């Protein structure tokens, strides 16, 4: 989380830490003032927020940070069209290319579930460029996505097919 805050990412801010055992610590965080995308505020996913969301992913990927949890519960919508992360994630620093492409595929699917495949691909392309989406194409499949996303996809059986089709059009 400290790394995310230093990058300017809206995320929980570590306040204090203490040791609670020989191999464990407790960390207290200050939560950002925001609501999760999963809270039902889908109408608040504006074009500016979409742009900011893809900028957030770009910032993480430039720093070689893989979040590994970019699902609706972890994406925050804040005031002034800001976006952020609810939890730091179970990801990696100095992340391998595969982990970064997984984050792209996950966020693309998360956005498509709240907007449309067309809007997800168009907004991602405007920030990341088409090559980033093409590189994530093979990972647009249920086995590569988070559990909550897979559950949501059961209600939208055509979404991944349509999303892959949009990326192929690039």
């Amino acid at each position: 989380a400290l790394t995310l805050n230093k990058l300017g990412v809206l995320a929980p801010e570590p306040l204090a830490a203490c040791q609670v055992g020989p191999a464990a610590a407790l960390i207290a965080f200050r939560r950002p003032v925001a609501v999760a995308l999963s809270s039902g505020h889908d109408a608040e996913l504006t074009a500016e927020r979409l742009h900011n969301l893809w900028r957030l992913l770009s910032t993480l990927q430039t720093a070689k940070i893989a979040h590994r949890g970019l699902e609706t519960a972890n994406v925050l919508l804040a005031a002034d069209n800001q976006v952020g992360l609810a939890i730091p994630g179970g990801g990696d620093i100095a992340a391998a290319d595969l982990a970064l492409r997984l984050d792209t595929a996950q966020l693309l699917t998360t956005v498509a579930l709240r907007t449309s495949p067309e809007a997800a691909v168009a907004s991602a392309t405007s920030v990341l460029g088409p090559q980033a989406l093409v590189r994530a194409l093979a990972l647009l499949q249920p086995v590569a996505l988070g559990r909550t996303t897979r559950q949501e996809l059961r209600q939208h059986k055509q979404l991944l097919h349509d999303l892959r089709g949009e990326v192929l059009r690039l």
Side-chain angles (χ1 to χ4, degrees), residues 71-155:
E71 296 185 89
T72 58
N74 293 330
V75 173
L76 295 179
L77 305 177
D80 299 327
N81 285 313
Q82 289 185 357
V83 296
L85 301 172
I87 60 170
D92 306 310
I93 57 173
D97 182 62
L98 177 60
L100 298 175
R101 290 187 295 131
L102 280 166
D103 270 3
T104 301
Q106 177 63 61
L107 190 56
L108 193 60
T109 306
T110 296
V111 170
L113 281 164
R114 292 299 182 261
T115 58
S116 68
E118 298 82 9
V121 170
S123 63
T125 302
S126 72
V127 175
L128 303 176
Q131 193 61 30
L133 302 188
V134 171
R135 291 171 28 84
L137 180 61
L139 300 169
L140 289 172
Q141 52 185 309
V143 70
L145 303 171
R147 187 182 82 223
T148 303
T149 302
R150 288 192 308 268
Q151 290 171 345
E152 286 186 67
L153 286 170
R154 290 184 192 130
Q155 313 296 307

Side-chain angles (χ1 to χ4, degrees), residues 5-30:
N5 296 124
K6 284 185 176 183
L7 290 172
V9 172
L10 180 68
E13 179 185 355
L15 297 175
C18 67
Q19 188 173 353
V20 293
L26 177 68
I27 304 172
F29 290 94
R30 177 183 299 134

